[in-house]
Amino acid sequence: MTAPTKPPYGGTADSASERAPGEPLHSPVIEWFDKHARDLPWRRPEAGAWGVMVSEFMLQQTPVNRVLPVYEQWLARWPRPADLAAEAPGEAVRAWGRLGYPRRALRLHGAAVAIAERHGGDVPSDHAQLLALPGIGEYTAAAVASFAYGQRHPVLDTNVRRVFARAVTGVQYPPNATTAAERRLARALLPEDEATAARWAAASMELGALVCTAKNEACHRCPIATQCAWRLAGKPAHEGPPRRGQTYAGTDRQVRGRLLAVLREAHGPVPQSALDRVWHEPVQRARALDGLVADGLVEPLPGGLYRLPVA
């Protein structure tokens, strides 16, 4: 009698052997995480839900080593959402420093105001309430619910998506934007136990950050290398559009950063002439400044003056 073929991940288990599709991956990845996880301040119990939320905003498109000093300064100054909510939004932009993508600072400030007004100053544990906060999307709501409150939610950041793409789907890189198929797969791979699911979310993310990296992946250190569909297929090359790294030098992003640096360092409104000195090309400079105003990061005043937002 021929033995039944093992179903692929995400498929339906044979009735003779019922087990979750991701079960073969859970234990090795979580055990690896228990041994190799980085000691990061937002993973410590004292960080609380607010510390987790702050870290999730800061870590979007920004590496850990750049986030750490700003995170610690931020939590020292604003240990609770209400502390940040009591400040002008421009102070959040100022404290954001050079983390990049400063609209995240405004969104985090907006979330803090809503937490103070709607939830008595405590970050809500309910996933739907988290998702209803301004500036909180699908990923951040799931991450806070999982990492801060130990709940069972699929947490799909770039690192997790890459691990699943390789280990389960057998391709080198996930699509540029999260797809419905990826969400279904992430849900199928979730452990049933709530605490284990939360640990799995953190562990699979760390695996992507430290081992299953975008380039120079360390398969010899991977706890699921023997099960990885991409490795077993001979590591076929990416077949989609070329993946290009983001450029910075000479872009509007660089100009915006220089303009904001002047405003962050100033103790009052800044004249147009001070901003004009930071970039030689007037059309690009004006476009960058207009964009900052439109995004609510800069407030224009009468007389050609500018400042970080007060209201």
Side-chain angles (χ1 to χ4, degrees):
M1 180 176 179
T2 304
T5 302
K6 181 181 177 182
Y9 295 120
T12 303
D14 186 89
S15 58
S17 179
E18 290 283 346
R19 63 175 179 173
E23 190 175 318
L25 305 176
H26 298 155
S27 292
V29 172
I30 291 173
E31 288 171 6
W32 170 87
F33 182 66
D34 289 341
K35 295 177 181 177
H36 300 285
R38 290 168 291 180
D39 178 21
L40 299 173
W42 44 85
R43 289 179 177 162
R44 299 169 192 161
E46 61 268 24
W50 174 238
V52 171
M53 178 177 285
V54 170
S55 76
E56 289 301 332
F57 272 81
M58 290 185 173
L59 287 165
Q60 294 167 22
Q61 298 178 287
T62 308
V64 166
N65 62 337
R66 289 183 58 200
V67 165
L68 280 169
V70 180
Y71 172 88
E72 297 193 344
Q73 292 165 12
W74 191 284
L75 268 295
R77 181 175 178 181
W78 298 308
R80 288 180 52 81
D83 300 317
L84 176 59
E87 296 266 18
E91 287 306 302
V93 176
R94 192 189 310 278
W96 199 255
R98 299 181 63 84
L99 282 183
Y101 303 99
R103 276 178 290 181
R104 292 179 293 168
L106 289 182
R107 292 181 184 132
L108 183 51
H109 182 274
V113 170
I115 290 168
E117 292 176 348
R118 304 176 195 170
H119 303 288
D122 294 322
V123 176
S125 59
D126 181 76
H127 180 264
Q129 291 180 334
L130 286 166
L131 199 55
L133 294 173
I136 300 275
E138 174 187 355
Y139 164 77
T140 305
V144 173
S146 179
F147 301 151
Y149 294 113
Q151 296 176 13
R152 183 179 182 271
H153 295 282
V155 182
L156 275 174
D157 82 333
T158 301
N159 290 314
V160 176
R161 294 174 61 227
R162 186 170 56 252
V163 169
F164 291 175
R166 292 175 180 173
V168 181
T169 312
V171 297
Q172 186 177 16
Y173 297 118
N176 289 331
T178 306
T179 65
E182 287 181 284
R183 294 186 181 94
R184 287 194 298 271
L185 175 61
R187 288 193 294 270
L189 293 176
L190 267 181
E192 290 298 325
D193 175 70
E194 195 168 49
T196 306
R199 197 70 175 162
W200 161 252
S204 54
M205 185 177 296
E206 190 79 334
L207 185 66
L210 299 183
V211 175
C212 193
T213 51
K215 296 180 180 178
N216 303 317
E217 63 280 350
C219 296
H220 63 286
R221 295 194 289 115
C222 180
I224 54 172
T226 58
Q227 304 177 58
C228 176
W230 182 57
R231 179 177 173 273
L232 293 173
K235 294 187 176 181
H238 177 63
E239 294 181 351
R243 301 175 67 86
R244 297 185 177 89
Q246 291 185 329
T247 58
Y248 182 72
T251 63
D252 284 6
R253 277 188 59 219
Q254 184 181 25
V255 185
R256 285 164 61 102
R258 292 192 178 183
L259 294 169
L260 274 181
V262 173
L263 294 166
R264 283 198 307 267
E265 293 165 7
H267 297 291
V270 170
Q272 177 79 55
S273 58
L275 298 177
D276 289 346
R277 288 195 290 269
V278 306
W279 197 255
H280 63 282
E281 210 288 304
V283 174
Q284 187 179 25
R285 186 179 64 236
R287 182 172 65 241
L289 182 57
D290 287 347
L292 290 170
V293 171
D295 290 340
L297 290 161
V298 172
E299 185 178 338
L301 301 171
L305 299 174
Y306 296 86
R307 68 182 178 190
L308 295 178
V310 172

